[in-house]
Amino acid sequence: MVQYVDARLDASFAALSDSTRRGVLDQLGRDQASISDLAERFQMTLTGMRKHIGVLERAGLVVTEKVGRVRTCRLSDHRLDEVAAWLAQYQQRWDERFDQLDDVIAELKQRDEPDRTDQPHKRK
């Protein structure tokens, strides 16, 4: 099971590593689009866009449907949730570490501050 999840995550992150594919996902997040529309929007050939869509589809990030001669793309319902959940684990770990670092910094600042009760008050 772990290897299967790891393979899916590997495919997702490999697909997300390309700026054009991230742009396609951003575009599909607004509305579904045909491969032709996406190719035009990203100023690339139909063949090039088909390859990008194929990578996104194999990663489970995009679903396509062919109606007649037009292949329409839309975001997949669940795969980004899996990626987001994986990232959230690390976000939580880093948040905890930064909270610990804040505590250490506050302690060091408190230790380095001179005791204000021992110093005479200066009048202007």
Side-chain angles (χ1 to χ4, degrees):
M1 177 67 180
V2 172
Q3 288 178 335
Y4 178 68
V5 172
D6 286 347
R8 288 191 327 222
L9 282 172
D10 289 348
S12 294
F13 281 112
L16 292 169
S17 70
D18 183 87
S19 63
T20 299
R21 290 191 287 265
R22 289 191 307 273
V24 167
L25 290 175
D26 186 48
Q27 184 64 43
L28 293 177
R30 292 187 199 106
D31 196 14
Q32 62 184 13
S34 70
I35 292 179
S36 305
D37 290 341
L38 291 168
E40 184 179 322
R41 204 166 276 143
F42 287 88
Q43 300 177 343
M44 55 186 343
T45 65
L46 208 52
T47 303
M49 184 53 70
R50 278 191 194 116
K51 288 180 182 180
H52 282 297
I53 295 299
V55 171
L56 291 167
E57 199 169 20
R58 283 188 298 279
L61 299 172
V62 167
V63 176
T64 63
E65 179 182 10
K66 190 170 185 177
V67 178
R69 296 180 62 193
V70 178
R71 184 167 291 279
T72 303
C73 308
R74 64 177 172 80
L75 289 180
S76 173
D77 294 334
H78 303 291
R79 186 54 63 88
L80 285 175
D81 293 340
E82 194 174 86
V83 171
W86 185 87
L87 289 171
Q89 294 175 27
Y90 289 92
Q91 180 68 42
Q92 182 180 1
R93 289 180 193 170
W94 280 105
D95 287 345
E96 290 170 1
R97 289 179 181 169
F98 282 123
D99 288 345
Q100 291 171 349
L101 181 59
D102 287 343
D103 293 343
V104 169
I105 291 170
E107 182 182 316
L108 290 173
K109 282 183 178 179
Q110 190 175 26
R111 201 181 319 159
D112 287 344
E113 284 183 2
D115 188 3
R116 299 202 187 278
T117 58
D118 293 344
Q119 295 180 356
H121 294 288
K122 293 183 180 178
R123 293 186 180 225
K124 293 183 180 182

